[in-house]
């Protein structure tokens, strides 16, 4: 028998620890990902709703920030990380709670800048030292669950609260939200999807079909106005973007940095969990592709996430933050990658194609102005999906009634009062409820015997 052929690393130029790849030189462009990028660029546009709302930015500045932010997403896959990068999406509802403590305008933007700088420094520190895995794995399950459950509750609350978007446009968001949850998580849809080519095609585009249907409904029943389409090329307003940088409005004071620190810690915990999910996706898809060896490591992900967040904070502060992975986009690319080399030349041809398309689509002014009135729909459906996922994954983290109680209380505090109060409450409850050694005993009594004693005394 002959030797089994070893997988090859996709062609690249070596730059230190990184692998630089450019289109047409190192990989081909993939048509399905190019099409998908044109569709999902609207998720990035939906962040404008937060920038012009809680942050108080002018629309021209917000649009320019989105353009530059999406171009910076090209950096990780261009340098060898096989993920589609994105936002730290589960943090967005927590961020909105955090920003609620500041006046829209200079103060709120400075709070975002402080948060993004701390997030950048955390990624730098944990990337250089390798402490990220230790930090996250040592965190009690109840606290990790509380963070996710709280983010989920906050996401749903921002939509259903009095005077929120659901109250203003109920038909659009109820239909869009239910359709999104049905196509993403329903067992009955999965059964139909397995036997129907059209439904499989729809499922490949994640949440975008639900957003498009919601837009059409909102327009037809006049819950949203008709778009005023403009022709030409989108030109980012650099002066408007500069006007919201720390060099124009001033750097945050120490009190704002201190206030932002707990939310930044939560951002890292959530982002690290996303990295683990990304690793699993790439590991699984690699088993189907013996022709390609994918080389990357956690340090590269940390350093590139640091660079993106640091650049954001100084030059184009973004409420989505610079997350290491857009999970839905990465999952979509990784799944099609498993179909073989004819379907997708390399994992990097897939990720880069999607991001190139996503970055260039925003320059098509008719597309931008077409979606402009409907940006609240994209944001709302994104938050509804995020809320559902966070609550689901958070509950899966807990193993017994004590962890459930600590996580539940912490989650509610997080949704109502923000990260600082939630972390304090979670840590205190962990020590007084879960820890067996907080009060020394002469004899060892297990948690199970305590539970049995309670039952017998009832």
């Amino acid at each position: 028998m002959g030797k089994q052929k070893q997988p090859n690393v996709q062609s690249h130029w070596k730059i230190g620890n990184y692998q630089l790849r450019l289109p047409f030189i190192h990989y081909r462009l993939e048509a399905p990902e190019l099409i998908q990028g044109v569709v999902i660029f609207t998720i990035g546009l939906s962040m404008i709703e937060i920038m012009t709302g809680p942050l108080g930015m002018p629309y021209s500045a917000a649009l320019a920030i989105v353009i530059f932010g999406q171009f910076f997403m090209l950096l990780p896959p261009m340098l060898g990380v096989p993920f589609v990068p994105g936002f730290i999406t589960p943090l967005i509802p927590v961020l909105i709670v955090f920003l609620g403590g500041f006046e829209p305008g200079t103060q709120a933007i400075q709070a975002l800048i402080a948060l993004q700088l701390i997030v950048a420094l955390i990624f730098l520190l944990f990337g250089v030292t390798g402490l990220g895995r230790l930090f996250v794995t040592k965190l009690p399950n109840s606290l990790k669950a509380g963070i996710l459950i709280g983010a989920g509750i906050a996401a749903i609350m921002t939509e259903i609260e009095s005077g929120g978007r659901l109250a203003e446009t109920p038909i659009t968001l109820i239909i869009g939200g239910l359709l999104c949850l049905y196509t993403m998580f329903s067992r009955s849809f999965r059964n139909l999807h397995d036997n129907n080519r059209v439904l499989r095609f729809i499922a490949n585009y994640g949440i975008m079909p639900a957003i498009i249907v919601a837009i059409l409904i909102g327009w037809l029943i006049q819950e949203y106005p008709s778009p005023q389409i403009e022709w030409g090329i989108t030109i980012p307003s650099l002066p408007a973007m500069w006007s919201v940088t720390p060099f124009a409005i001033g750097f945050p004071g120490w009190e704002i940095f201190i206030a932002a620190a707990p939310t930044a810690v939560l951002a890292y915990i959530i982002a690290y969990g996303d990295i683990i999910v990304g690793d699993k996706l790439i590991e699984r898809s690699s088993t189907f592709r013996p022709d390609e060896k994918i080389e990357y490591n956690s340090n590269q992900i940390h350093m590139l996430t640091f660079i993106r967040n640091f650049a954001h904070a100084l030059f184009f502060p973004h409420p989505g933050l610079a997350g290491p992975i857009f999970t839905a986009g990465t999952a979509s690319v990784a799944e099609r990658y498993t179909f073989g080399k004819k379907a997708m030349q390399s994992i990097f041809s897939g990720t880069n194609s999607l991001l190139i398309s996503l970055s260039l689509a925003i320059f098509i002014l008719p597309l931008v102005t077409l979606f402009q009135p409907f940006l609240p729909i994209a944001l709302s459906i994104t938050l509804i999906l995020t809320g559902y996922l966070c609550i689901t994954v958070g509950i899966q983290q807990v193993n017994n009634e004590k962890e459930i109680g600590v996580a539940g209380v912490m989650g509610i505090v997080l949704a109502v009062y923000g990260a600082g109060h939630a972390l304090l409450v979670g840590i205190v409850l962990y020590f007084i409820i879960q820890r067996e050694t907080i009060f020394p005993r002469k004899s060892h009594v297990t948690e199970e015997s305590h539970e049995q004693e309670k039952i017998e005394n009832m």
Side-chain angles (χ1 to χ4, degrees):
M1 290 178 66
K3 279 188 176 181
Q4 187 175 2
K5 188 177 179 181
Q6 294 298 311
N8 296 318
V9 177
Q10 177 71 11
S11 64
H12 61 275
W13 292 329
K14 194 78 172 172
I15 302 180
N17 294 325
Y18 299 92
Q19 300 173 354
L20 176 65
R21 293 180 175 88
L22 298 175
F24 307 114
I25 299 174
H26 301 111
Y27 60 85
R28 74 186 186 206
L29 295 179
E30 307 286 353
E33 279 66 40
L34 290 173
I35 295 168
Q36 192 171 349
V38 172
V39 176
I40 66 172
F41 92 99
T42 53
I43 295 175
L45 277 183
S46 71
M47 293 296 105
I48 292 175
E49 187 71 8
I50 298 174
M51 296 186 216
T52 56
L55 283 167
M57 291 183 184
Y59 175 83
S60 56
L63 180 59
I65 287 169
V66 169
I67 291 172
F68 277 83
Q70 294 193 172
F71 261 95
F72 260 64
M73 287 181 186
L74 286 163
L75 192 62
M78 186 173 70
L79 290 175
V81 175
F83 301 165
V84 178
F87 310 135
I88 307 179
T89 309
L91 190 78
I92 292 172
V94 181
L95 176 69
I96 292 171
V97 174
F98 168 65
L99 293 176
F102 300 90
E103 282 290 323
T106 298
Q107 194 180 56
I109 297 168
Q110 286 180 334
L112 173 61
I113 290 167
L115 172 65
Q116 202 145 27
L117 281 172
I118 298 173
V119 169
L121 292 175
I122 291 174
F123 271 98
L124 175 63
L125 175 64
F126 285 169
V128 170
T129 62
L131 290 173
R133 182 175 293 274
L134 180 66
F135 172 72
V136 174
T137 54
K138 292 294 183 182
L139 195 70
N141 286 339
S142 55
L143 269 64
K144 286 188 276 192
I147 291 167
L148 289 169
I149 292 170
I153 294 172
I156 303 299
M157 281 176 56
T158 58
E159 297 307 308
I160 67 173
E161 65 186 359
S162 177
R165 281 184 288 267
L166 184 65
E168 293 178 354
T169 55
I171 298 173
T172 301
L173 294 188
I174 288 172
I175 293 175
L178 290 176
L179 183 61
C180 175
L181 295 177
Y182 178 71
T183 56
M184 295 288 287
F185 305 112
S186 169
R187 287 184 178 180
S188 63
F189 181 80
R190 182 165 291 275
N191 291 335
L192 293 170
H193 156 281
D194 291 340
N195 301 303
N196 189 297
R197 185 179 296 178
V198 174
L199 293 181
R200 284 199 299 272
F201 176 80
I202 291 171
N204 285 338
Y205 290 95
I207 70 172
M208 284 313 301
I211 291 175
I212 290 170
V213 169
I215 286 172
L216 291 173
I217 291 171
W219 175 63
L220 288 172
I221 66 174
Q222 297 185 336
E223 281 189 342
Y224 287 88
S226 298
Q228 302 296 315
I229 297 176
E230 300 175 21
W231 301 96
I233 298 173
T234 308
I235 299 175
S237 174
L238 298 182
M241 188 172 74
W242 181 260
S243 72
V244 298
T245 65
F247 304 105
I249 64 173
F251 279 82
W254 286 111
E255 70 283 355
I256 296 181
F257 278 102
I258 292 168
T263 307
V265 172
L266 261 61
Y268 181 77
I269 294 168
I270 292 169
Y272 195 90
D274 287 343
I275 292 172
I276 293 172
V277 172
D279 287 340
K280 295 294 183 185
L281 287 171
I282 299 302
E283 182 182 335
R284 175 191 169 275
S285 63
S286 293
T287 62
F288 293 87
R289 290 290 299 267
D291 60 294
E292 180 175 13
K293 182 179 181 182
I294 303 172
E295 293 182 342
Y296 72 102
N297 58 54
S298 179
N299 176 267
Q300 293 170 337
I301 297 169
H302 276 70
M303 295 305 293
L304 291 169
T305 308
F306 153 70
I307 291 169
R308 289 171 58 220
N309 275 294
F310 192 69
H312 268 298
L314 293 183
F315 303 110
F316 35 99
H318 194 299
L321 305 183
I325 179 173
F326 169 34
T327 307
T330 303
S332 174
V333 171
E335 182 62 27
R336 215 176 67 78
Y337 175 69
T338 63
F339 295 161
K341 195 167 185 176
K342 286 186 178 179
M344 185 181 293
Q345 179 191 17
S346 160
I347 191 72
F348 297 104
S349 66
T351 54
N352 280 289
S353 294
L354 190 150
L355 286 162
I356 288 169
S357 173
L358 181 147
S359 301
L360 294 177
I362 203 167
F363 286 100
I364 305 173
L365 188 58
L367 272 182
V368 174
T369 52
L370 173 66
F371 287 111
Q372 185 176 344
F374 309 113
L375 295 182
I377 296 176
L379 178 60
S380 291
I381 292 178
T382 300
L383 289 175
I384 290 168
L385 175 64
T386 299
Y388 179 91
L389 280 171
C390 285
I391 292 170
T392 302
V393 175
I395 290 172
Q396 290 171 350
Q397 304 285 320
V398 292
N399 302 305
N400 57 58
E401 67 176 34
K402 288 180 172 54
E403 289 185 353
I404 292 170
V406 172
V409 173
M410 180 183 174
I412 293 169
V413 173
L414 176 59
V416 177
Y417 294 106
H421 293 88
L423 285 174
L424 179 61
V425 167
I427 291 169
V428 170
L429 289 178
Y430 168 75
F431 276 101
I432 67 174
I433 293 177
Q434 289 185 242
R435 295 276 294 196
E436 294 182 7
T437 57
I438 187 168
F439 299 114
R441 303 188 190 98
K442 291 182 180 178
S443 60
H444 176 73
V445 183
T446 65
E447 182 174 320
E448 287 77 11
S449 64
H450 275 298
E451 297 296 333
Q452 185 63 35
E453 185 180 331
K454 283 195 298 182
I455 293 169
E456 290 172 354
N457 291 334
M458 287 177 68

